[in-house]
Amino acid sequence: MTIQDIINGLNLHVVTGEEHLNQKIETGYVGDLLSVVMGKANPDSVWVTVQSHVNIIAVATLVDIRCIIVSEGFSVDADAIQKAIEEEIVVLTSPQSSYEIVKQLGQLGI
Amino acid sequence: MKEFSHHILDIANNSIRGKATSIQLSITENKATNQFIFQLKDNGCGIPKAILDEIKNPFTTTRKTRKVGLGIPMLDATCRQCDGRLTIETEVGKGTIIRGTMALNHIDRPPMGNIASTLRTLLTSHENLNIEAIYKVDQHSFIVSTLELKEILGEVSLSTPEVVQWLYTYIEENITALYNSE
């Protein structure tokens, strides 16, 4: 499944990364405690979190996560967007809860 | 980091990597002012201004093995999320003071974790490092330092297994007592 398929299925807003939406997503991770995400998330996951500061881009870079969904309608910090562009990480947002997003990801087959 | 003690170990390890020979650490909980305050003061190499200006940015690191460093950025984010802040004063060649605050009753403030284990590790793992740790809960405080321990132990090394084991219990009991005092 591609990031574009996920955006279509969940009606997500693309904050940055328009040109990288054809990347494949194999699995997912949900969590807000960055150190745990660093230790536990798999590469090529879509990561669902309420955190929206620049540290999430650093964690994604370390774990090799290519796509982050920021839930609960939180807006992404400007410096995080800037780093996401540099690191070629797709950042999406949704007004829904992490639970609702993960449930729909599951229904899509992730 | 899930527990606050991991942050303490992380910033103390920064000092040790920065060639500090002396570290003063304090952890203070004050119910009256609803403050959780921690401070680490070292005599290490200090942080050059160019790095200090960017230190809360996770893409700043002195490590050569990877391009991001998350210790300070995560601690900074935790302090801010808990209605506090992290400040760093430093002078190249003199040392660094890291000071952080959080609201004591903030729901997102990380639990302390096993601070006795962290302090024991710091106090016993580095032969030539002087460490003093002060733990305060309201008006009660507990101080433990390598200098004091070395004075008591005389010729016996701080890294002797029996000493290491005893030290854990000693720190653990004294900190628990702080919370149980009126």
Side-chain angles (χ1 to χ4, degrees), chain B residues 72-131:
Chain B
I72 294 287
M74 285 200 290
L75 184 55
D76 177 56
T78 301
C79 288
R80 283 188 288 119
Q81 280 168 0
C82 298
D83 295 341
R85 59 195 295 245
L86 185 75
T87 55
I88 301 172
E89 283 172 53
T90 182
E91 194 178 335
V92 171
K94 290 267 174 77
T96 301
I97 302 173
I98 294 182
R99 189 168 189 274
T101 57
M102 296 181 212
L104 183 63
N105 69 353
H106 201 291
I107 193 82
D108 289 329
R109 187 170 66 81
M112 180 55 70
N114 196 342
I115 191 72
S117 169
T118 298
L119 293 179
R120 185 259 313 262
T121 301
L122 288 172
L123 288 158
T124 57
S125 303
H126 309 278
E127 199 64 41
N128 297 314
L129 180 67
N130 286 317
I131 300 186

Side-chain angles (χ1 to χ4, degrees), chain A:
Chain A
M1 184 169 310
T2 66
I3 296 173
Q4 185 66 61
D5 296 333
I6 293 173
I7 294 167
N8 296 345
L10 276 71
N11 195 21
L12 302 170
H13 170 66
V14 181
V15 177
T16 180
E18 289 282 3
E19 60 277 40
H20 308 296
L21 302 183
N22 56 353
Q23 294 181 87
K24 293 265 188 294
I25 297 295
E26 302 292 337
T27 179
Y29 196 81
V30 56
D32 305 319
L33 202 49
L34 304 189
S35 56
V36 176
V37 179
M38 274 169 71
K40 302 286 185 186
N42 289 313
D44 302 320
S45 293
V46 53
W47 171 26
V48 184
T49 180
V50 297
Q51 301 282 12
S52 53
H53 48 74
V54 67
N55 295 358
I56 62 174
I57 309 302
V59 169
T61 308
L62 276 176
V63 182
D64 214 11
I65 282 173
R66 312 311 310 166
C67 178
I68 304 171
I69 303 175
V70 175
S71 63
E72 299 286 6
F74 287 112
S75 61
V76 182
D77 294 359
D79 54 347
I81 296 172
Q82 186 53 43
K83 274 294 168 191
I85 294 167
E86 288 170 28
E87 299 293 333
E88 302 183 352
I89 289 166
V90 178
V91 180
L92 311 169
T93 57
S94 166
Q96 293 187 303
S97 70
S98 295
Y99 171 73
E100 284 297 335
I101 293 168
V102 170
K103 203 167 70 175
Q104 291 166 49
L105 287 172
Q107 284 162 358
L108 275 182
I110 286 186

